Amino acid sequence: MRYHTIRKYRPWLKALRSTRKLLGKVGVGLRWMARYLSWLSPKRYMKCIDWYIMRKFIGTYIYAIILIISISIVFDINENLAKFTQYNAPLKAIVFDYYANFVPYFANLFSPLFVFIAVIFFTSKLAGNSEIIAMLASGLSFKRLLRPYMISCVLISLATYYLGAYVIPHGTIIRQNFETLYKNKRKNTSAENVQLQVDQGVIAYIQHYDNRRKSGYGFCLDKFENKKLVSHMTATEIQYDTISDSKFHWKVINWKIRELHGLKETITQGASKDTLIMMEPTDLVYSKGQQETFTSPQLRDYIFKQQTRGSGNVVQYEVEYHKRIAMSFASFILTIIGASLSSRKRKGGMGMYLGIGLVLSFTYIMLQTVSSTFALQAGFPPMLASWMPNIIFAFVAYFCYRQAPN
């Protein structure tokens, strides 16, 4: 009877042994996975000194932004209050449409300056309290001391790039529309004698275009094959379809098409017609600062589209696209310069070295600002013009870094 009972439960015992072996293998795998994940854990690389410096760095950075932007808002209100009153700007629009987008735009624009001010301020304070001397005396190298600075720069650079490339352009549209209504009233809304290549061998011409009504007058569309004119379309008026779900929908009014076949031609005409023309209102009217209203993917697509059409009016767009990437690296360069200049405790204070650092940072930011001028006037490639400040000041940062331990 006992033999039959054991035989009855033998499959269950085998399944139990297989389960134990499987769980053992899973346990070994989990232990190896935990061992490998421990190499990626921040606690392995981040010590108390790292968290301490990062809190000081990011805290001072945020404090500098709040302080300087608050002062900027006060001066801006004092300068524009008369215009807001003259054009009867509502308080809600001033607060939420203008200043709610004014603050992130200028905070992100001058982020490298805020980074430098934060580094100079809290590092010189650490040096004045002999904290850096104690760190170096405990065996910490200057290279190791810069690790939390660089980690903080990574966080700030990622946030700066994401805001500048994806978030702030949407707010810039709202802010510029507010300025057009209640501040400047000088936004360019029309264009005269616009000619552009909308497709391979297809040239469009508009005598006058009004961006407010999204309509143009004196329209002409020519199609060429093997450098020969094969189709010529004219219309007294052209209207962009703003409610269509897709792009490039236009309506032509009082249109006429001449199709040329050797010595013969065919003429068709009508009162109105819906058609697809590979152009948009943004291709026809350019207003100052328009490139700042595009996100980085939109900028990339716009540049590619304009270059495909053979348009040469894309330099400012290329500069803006590359500048957003280059400015994200400005935090690293200015942080190395600031930390190298202010990490030593000096008799008589940090006055002279603080002045040197501020001159360097302002020169760097000025070169970043006028990089578009280099590309437009001096004929520099847009990418080189955008990265030139980084290239120049990378050598300055390296020199300061090499001299700092001495």
Side-chain angles (χ1 to χ4, degrees), residues 271-385:
S272 65
K273 178 181 179 181
D274 292 328
T275 183
L276 285 175
I277 304 175
M278 303 298 289
M279 65 180 183
E280 296 180 88
T282 54
D283 302 329
L284 304 174
V285 178
Y286 171 76
S287 58
K288 185 178 180 181
Q290 181 177 332
Q291 67 274 13
E292 297 175 355
T293 63
F294 292 167
T295 63
S296 288
Q298 291 173 340
L299 267 177
R300 184 173 60 249
D301 296 340
Y302 181 84
I303 291 169
F304 176 76
K305 182 172 66 176
Q306 294 298 99
Q307 288 177 340
T308 303
R309 293 174 174 174
S311 175
N313 191 28
V314 293
V315 176
Q316 59 268 31
Y317 295 90
E318 292 181 282
V319 171
E320 178 67 21
Y321 178 77
H322 294 295
K323 186 192 293 185
R324 291 176 182 178
I325 303 173
M327 281 194 67
S328 62
F329 290 90
S331 302
F332 296 94
I333 296 173
L334 293 180
T335 295
I336 294 174
I337 294 174
S340 300
L341 292 175
S342 58
S343 58
R344 273 186 79 178
K345 184 176 182 180
R346 293 176 172 87
K347 187 176 181 179
M350 287 292 302
M352 183 181 72
Y353 294 94
L354 180 61
I356 294 173
L358 287 175
V359 169
L360 291 174
S361 64
F362 278 114
T363 305
Y364 180 86
I365 294 171
M366 183 189 70
L367 287 176
Q368 284 276 10
T369 306
V370 302
S371 60
S372 58
T373 305
F374 292 139
L376 290 170
Q377 304 296 333
F380 278 66
M383 185 175 181
L384 177 61

Side-chain angles (χ1 to χ4, degrees), residues 119-132:
V119 170
I120 286 284
F121 183 78
F122 90 87
T123 306
S124 60
K125 190 173 182 180
L126 291 178
N129 295 334
S130 301
E131 294 181 66
I132 292 183

Side-chain angles (χ1 to χ4, degrees), residues 5-131:
T5 303
I6 295 174
R7 186 176 181 182
K8 179 180 179 181
Y9 290 102
R10 184 175 295 171
W12 295 96
L13 293 174
K14 289 183 178 180
L16 181 61
R17 293 192 195 99
S18 300
T19 304
R20 287 184 59 187
K21 290 180 180 179
L22 179 62
L23 291 176
K25 292 180 180 179
V26 171
V28 173
L30 290 175
R31 284 195 296 271
W32 277 100
M33 184 180 296
R35 184 176 299 177
Y36 282 117
L37 289 177
S38 65
W39 288 86
L40 303 177
S41 175
K43 293 182 179 179
R44 182 180 180 86
Y45 305 98
M46 301 293 294
K47 307 302 180 184
C48 291
I49 187 65
D50 298 313
W51 293 112
Y52 176 71
I53 292 178
M54 286 179 63
R55 284 197 302 269
K56 290 281 188 180
F57 189 169
I58 297 177
T60 310
Y61 170 75
I62 296 174
Y63 175 77
I65 290 177
I66 294 173
L67 180 63
I68 297 177
I69 292 297
S70 300
I71 297 173
S72 302
I73 291 175
V74 171
F75 280 99
D76 190 79
I77 291 175
N78 183 56
E79 181 181 353
N80 296 312
L81 185 60
K83 292 183 179 179
F84 294 158
T85 306
Q86 177 185 353
Y87 297 120
N88 299 318
L91 180 61
K92 182 179 179 181
I94 294 174
V95 174
F96 294 102
D97 292 348
Y98 184 66
Y99 284 109
N101 297 298
F102 171 93
V103 171
Y105 174 78
F106 283 97
N108 194 71
L109 181 64
F110 295 109
S111 178
L113 177 62
F114 298 141
V115 167
F116 183 79
I117 291 174
V119 170
I120 286 284
F121 183 78
F122 90 87
T123 306
S124 60
K125 190 173 182 180
L126 291 178
N129 295 334
S130 301
E131 294 181 66

